[in-house]
């Protein structure tokens, strides 16, 4: 769960913790920075290794982690390796494993495709109105104090029953071919609303919901429409855009720590819009596909149309 600070991500994590823990008085989530004691040698890597070790355990209680930093997503041997290696290992073994749920304030969330398709990214970016902060805190505390594990336990039993009825429970795919592994979880909640004789709320997701693609699209849309606009060069014969992606490293390095901005932006591009390799200084993009992906009308296509009219 990512987005602006103050939008309630940690508060939601606290609620999830109380809903899913055995002891109602124990909040089973921790800060990313507290996973390994401060002062440890090679501490950053050890944090990822410790998270991986917990995911490999047979305990299936959710692993809830707050304040995951940018470097977890930026470094290949951190988030990407953790997600891909852990899910592949569990997939081969067939054993149950805990789900890993975390929050981050980074606005540069980006995972390569092989890690992204094994995860969900939910963007929570609507900060609370400070004018209503006091009332909000009171309402939240009342809700938190009244939460029990009853719903979670009932959900587990209903889900287990669906697993008994359908051995191929995970073989649900969305239209883009990704496994929709929350399909039956949504079916259970549909049953709840039916029992209550209530309609599904307008925010209820009817299909796999993932903000990672939208986040990547916004990243490149802002890049094209912003100060880097003049660095995109159009070749009409091939209908492709050329962009010197290393130019990003000259201007944005301080914002991303020790990870080059060009690396993050490369990861955010879907393969379908790229012509050739991403390893060169200049990257080449299919113009039509790129503009369609970022949701911007192709300005060069319009010029080409006007040129044809004028030539007549």
């Amino acid at each position: 769960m990512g987005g602006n600070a103050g939008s309630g991500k940690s508060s939601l994590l606290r609620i999830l913790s109380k809903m899913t823990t055995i002891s109602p008085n124990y909040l089973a989530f921790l800060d990313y920075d507290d996973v390994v004691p401060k002062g440890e040698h090679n501490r950053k890597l050890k944090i990822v290794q410790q998270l991986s070790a917990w995911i490999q355990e047979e305990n299936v209680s959710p692993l809830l982690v707050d304040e995951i930093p940018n470097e977890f997503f930026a470094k290949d041997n951190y988030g990407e390796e953790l997600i891909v290696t852990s899910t592949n290992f569990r997939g081969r073994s067939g054993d149950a494993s805990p789900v890993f749920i975390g929050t981050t304030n980074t606005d540069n969330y980006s995972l390569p495709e092989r890690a992204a398709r094994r995860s969900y990214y939910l963007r929570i970016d609507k900060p609370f109105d400070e004018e209503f902060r006091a009332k909000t805190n009171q309402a939240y505390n009342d809700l938190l104090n009244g939460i029990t594990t009853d719903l979670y336990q009932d959900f587990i039993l209903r889900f287990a029953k669906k697993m008994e009825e359908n051995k191929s429970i995970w073989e649900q795919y969305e239209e883009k071919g990704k496994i929709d592994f929350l399909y039956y979880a949504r079916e259970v909640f549909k049953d709840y609303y039916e029992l209550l004789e209530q309609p599904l709320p307008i925010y209820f997701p009817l299909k796999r919901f993932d903000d990672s693609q939208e986040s990547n699209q916004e990243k490149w849309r802002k890049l094209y429409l912003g100060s880097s606009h003049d660095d995109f060069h159009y070749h009409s014969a091939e209908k492709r855009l050329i962009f010197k992606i290393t130019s990003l490293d000259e201007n944005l390095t301080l914002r991303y720590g020790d990870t080059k901005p060009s690396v993050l932006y490369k990861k955010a591009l879907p393969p379908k819009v790229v012509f050739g390799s991403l390893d060169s200084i200049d990257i080449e993009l299919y113009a039509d596909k790129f503009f369609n992906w970022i949701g911007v009308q192709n300005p060069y296509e319009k010029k080409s149309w006007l040129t044809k009219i004028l030539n007549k």
Side-chain angles (χ1 to χ4, degrees), residues 52 55-56 80-95 97 113-115 117-118 179:
S52 180
I55 293 175
Q56 304 305 325
E80 179 185 5
E81 187 64 27
L82 171 68
I83 294 170
V84 175
T85 301
S86 299
T87 53
N88 284 351
F89 175 80
R90 282 304 185 184
R92 289 191 298 269
S93 68
D95 297 330
S97 60
E113 177 62 22
R114 65 180 193 146
R117 67 173 178 261
R118 293 168 168 84
I179 295 179

Side-chain angles (χ1 to χ4, degrees), residues 93-112:
S93 68
D95 297 330
S97 60
V99 62
F100 177 29
I101 302 176
T103 70
T104 182
N105 289 333
T106 180
D107 61 351
N108 299 304
Y109 169 89
S110 181
L111 284 171

Side-chain angles (χ1 to χ4, degrees), residues 273-287:
V273 307
V274 180
F275 176 83
S277 172
L278 285 174
D279 296 329
S280 59
I281 295 175
D282 299 320
I283 61 170
E284 196 166 356
L285 307 168
Y286 294 107

Side-chain angles (χ1 to χ4, degrees), residues 26-188:
Y26 176 65
L27 297 180
F29 79 97
L30 68 164
D31 286 340
Y32 185 93
D33 201 43
D34 293 335
V35 172
V36 172
K38 293 178 174 61
E40 286 267 351
H41 176 67
N42 225 358
R43 181 169 172 269
K44 291 183 178 180
L45 184 58
K46 285 183 178 178
I47 290 177
V48 179
Q49 292 172 340
Q50 181 58 66
L51 291 173
S52 180
W54 283 334
I55 293 175
Q56 304 305 325
E57 292 180 355
E58 295 182 0
N59 172 29
V60 294
S61 294
L63 178 58
L64 307 176
V65 180
D66 203 16
E67 302 289 352
I68 299 175
N70 177 66
E71 62 192 8
F72 180 85
F73 307 102
K75 290 182 176 293
D76 293 340
N77 61 336
Y78 283 16
E80 179 185 5
E81 187 64 27
L82 171 68
I83 294 170
V84 175
T85 301
S86 299
T87 53
N88 284 351
F89 175 80
R90 282 304 185 184
R92 289 191 298 269
S93 68
D95 297 330
S97 60
V99 62
F100 177 29
I101 302 176
T103 70
T104 182
N105 289 333
T106 180
D107 61 351
N108 299 304
Y109 169 89
S110 181
L111 284 171
E113 177 62 22
R114 65 180 193 146
R117 67 173 178 261
R118 293 168 168 84
S119 59
Y120 277 79
Y121 176 65
L122 301 180
R123 187 168 180 173
I124 303 175
D125 57 359
K126 297 290 188 287
F128 287 102
D129 189 333
E130 290 297 328
E131 182 182 350
F132 303 103
R133 175 64 67 178
K135 291 182 178 180
T136 299
N137 289 340
Q138 184 60 51
Y140 174 78
N141 289 330
D142 291 344
L143 177 65
L144 184 65
N145 292 333
I147 286 177
T148 68
T149 61
D150 292 351
L151 177 62
Y152 181 61
Q153 293 179 30
D154 185 81
F155 171 84
I156 293 297
L157 292 174
R158 290 174 181 269
F159 193 87
K161 184 177 180 181
K162 288 186 180 294
M163 291 184 70
E164 289 180 357
E165 296 171 349
N166 185 0
K167 300 301 180 183
S168 58
I169 191 169
W170 307 116
E171 295 178 6
Q172 295 289 334
Y173 294 85
E174 62 159 13
E175 64 272 11
K176 296 180 181 178
K178 293 182 178 180
I179 295 179
D180 186 358
F181 44 80
L182 291 183
Y183 175 85
Y184 281 98
R186 295 196 301 272
E187 293 299 300
V188 171

